[in-house]
Amino acid sequence: MVERAEITGLVLAGGQGSRLGGVDKGLQMYRGQPLARTALERLSPQVGRVMLSANRHLDDYARWGVLVWPDPADLAGYQGPLAGFLSGLQHAETPYLVTVPCDCPQFPADLVARLAEAMHDGVDLVLARTDAGPEPAFCLMRRSLAADLRRYLESGERKVGRWMAQLRRAEVTFDDPAAFFNINTPDDLAR
Ligand SMILES: Nc1nc2c(ncn2[C@@H]2O[C@H](COP(=O)(O)OP(=O)(O)OP(=O)(O)O)[C@@H](O)[C@H]2O)c(=O)[nH]1
Ligand SMILES: [Mg+2]
């Protein structure tokens, strides 16, 4: 079991938003508030501190009073969520990092507590899942994975599932798939 204070929360808002026409998804308004801000508000009470991963409009995000980290310089150009994971692992000052995507505004209020219960000796990474499958953007991991992830990315790999498959991992099943409703298209945003 890991204590809340030992966990840094990272909101992933560093994507290209190509299915939304290339906009910065984290800044898109949803129910009167930018998506990334909703994610930060939902995550903050669940962790010791929060940070945000972004590659555009860094000043706009920083204005909310949150630490903002771009992807590592040698991984610039939207190389995928693992680049954001690595930046978070490198900047976290706690032994654990938990990630959430910016585009999933209803994620469970007990997400981190439940992932933390499954973090034991011999486990490096804990993923959320539903009956529909894993939700790899919701991931609690040891900060010590930074070196392994850096090597993986330096080898040219980018796939999230492949990186996770070679680690000692646990999964926590959440009953309500609606909590993982994810905004990818203009239709999703309008709904
Ligand atoms: N830091 C970082 N995060 C990313 C990157 N690509 C995707 N993400 C994040 O990973 C999460 C899931 O990504 P997607 O739902 O595919 O979002 P997206 O890549 O912005 O959107 P599409 O371009 O339409 O695929 C979102 O929270 C994104 O912000 C990246 O290159 N760097
Ligand atoms: Mg994408």
Side-chain angles (χ1 to χ4, degrees), residues 128-136 171-181:
R129 64 165 296 127
T130 67
D131 286 342
E135 292 284 350
E171 293 186 349
V172 175
T173 302
F174 290 82
D175 289 332
D176 180 15
F180 293 90
F181 161 68

Side-chain angles (χ1 to χ4, degrees), residues 12-19 25 53 71 78-80 84 101-103 184:
L12 293 169
Q16 219 165 354
S18 50
R19 283 165 289 178
K25 222 196 269 194
S53 157
D71 292 349
Y78 304 107
Q79 306 215 25
C102 67
D103 56 3
N184 287 315

Side-chain angles (χ1 to χ4, degrees), residues 5-6 8 11 13 32 35 43 52 84 91 99 107 117 122 126 141 144 146 154-155 179 190:
E6 299 176 278
T8 297
V11 171
L35 274 170
L43 187 58
L52 185 129
H91 289 108
T99 59
F107 68 81
E117 277 172 23
V126 184
M141 61 202 120
S144 55
E154 276 172 359
S155 77

Side-chain angles (χ1 to χ4, degrees), residues 12-80:
L12 293 169
Q16 219 165 354
S18 50
R19 283 165 289 178
L20 275 173
V23 297
D24 196 342
K25 222 196 269 194
L27 296 176
Q28 300 313 298
M29 298 299 279
Y30 177 80
R31 298 193 174 166
Q33 185 164 265
L35 274 170
R37 189 144 194 173
T38 299
L40 280 167
E41 285 179 1
R42 227 170 154 75
L43 187 58
S44 292
Q46 303 193 38
V47 294
R49 56 188 89 171
V50 287
M51 311 188 301
L52 185 129
S53 157
N55 289 307
R56 290 180 276 176
H57 309 115
L58 306 191
D59 293 346
D60 292 315
Y61 288 114
R63 215 166 286 136
W64 303 344
V66 64
L67 272 175
V68 184
W69 302 111
D71 292 349
D74 59 321
L75 292 166
Y78 304 107
Q79 306 215 25

